[in-house]
Amino acid sequence: MAAVKAPPLDPIALVSRLESAGAKAGFKVEAFGSAGGCPLIALTKRTGGPRPRIYLSAGIHGDEPAPPQSLLALLEGGEFDARATWFICPLLNPEGIARGTRENASGLDLNRDYRHLESPEIRAHVRWLERHPNFDLAVCVHEDWESTGFYLYELNPAKRPSLAEPMISAVSRFFPIDPSPLIEGREAKGGIIRPVGNPLEREKWPEAIYLQAHHTNLSYTLESASALALERRIAALRAALRTAIARICA
Ligand SMILES: [Zn+2]
């Protein structure tokens, strides 16, 4: 059932703000596809010299308005600067955003479609990803309607220095952290889920698993809590992202 939970946003207006903020911040802005008459956009900016390659995505669930707006706020705030080379897909499900639904207009959860590629959105996104190098860090930005606080998933198969605790610590200064020992059926501790087992064996792949299979050995899925006010959720996601970026660029 495609429940409408979030007030619908105009994806075309949001994309046009993202495009102009991106162009102003020196990004190359391209459309790699379209959905429901709205372009699927990617923003890229290469910085000379050895720099970490950072990939960020949002807006794959249309009932989660804070994530794309947190990327817009960081873009407008000049966060995506010369410390890194950037790859940003800020709004992957315009039809869902327009309708306020998790799924796209055909009822598909795009964040379960990275193995079988049934939707035109994810086929286009995967084609775009295939044209790009591996990432030193990938962050998929989400929020959760059932959670009482912020939490995150970490996929870190190479056991690189974790960014999870610093992100939780930054957010916890002004936003509740989900204390549950079990979140979405997975063991959690202090708002951190480190899935056990081989995620690549799952039947349906979210974006983060595709990224682990093909593009990165360090990824995070951030989840703010939709029960809190939108501005606070945006602030929590911004704080987590700023912390991860600062750590990976240090
Ligand atoms: Zn989500």
Side-chain angles (χ1 to χ4, degrees), residues 15-17 46 69 83 109 118 159 161 177-178 218 232:
V15 161
S16 110
R17 282 188 70 189
R46 290 171 197 281
Q69 294 183 77
R83 290 173 295 166
D109 183 340
E118 290 171 5
K159 304 241 180 297
I177 304 299
D178 192 324
L218 186 62
R232 292 189 64 195

Side-chain angles (χ1 to χ4, degrees), residues 154-224:
E154 177 181 76
L155 290 174
N156 184 7
K159 304 241 180 297
R160 292 175 50 199
S162 176
L163 309 174
E165 283 85 1
M167 281 194 272
I168 291 288
S169 162
V171 173
S172 73
R173 285 183 206 124
F174 62 95
F175 197 90
I177 304 299
D178 192 324
S180 319
L182 204 64
I183 302 175
E184 296 283 305
R186 295 180 193 285
E187 267 181 51
K189 199 175 171 190
I192 299 170
I193 303 170
R194 295 184 165 104
V196 288
N198 183 359
L200 307 186
E201 288 168 359
R202 284 194 222 161
E203 166 56 20
K204 295 195 170 190
W205 282 7
E207 182 187 11
I209 292 184
Y210 176 83
L211 291 168
Q212 179 184 325
H214 298 291
H215 291 280
T216 191
N217 64 8
L218 186 62
S219 83
Y220 293 89
T221 299
L222 309 183
E223 301 274 0
S224 72

Side-chain angles (χ1 to χ4, degrees), residues 85-108:
T85 282
W86 304 96
F87 305 86
I88 303 176
C89 294
L91 213 170
L92 289 168
N93 181 8
E95 288 179 345
I97 289 279
R99 299 149 63 95
T101 59
R102 177 178 175 92
E103 298 84 0
N104 72 356
S106 309
L108 288 171

Side-chain angles (χ1 to χ4, degrees), residues 60-61 63-64 102 111 141-144 223:
I60 198 167
H61 287 144
D63 58 350
E64 300 174 11
R102 177 178 175 92
N111 201 34
V141 192
H142 286 253
E143 50 187 342
D144 184 338
E223 301 274 0

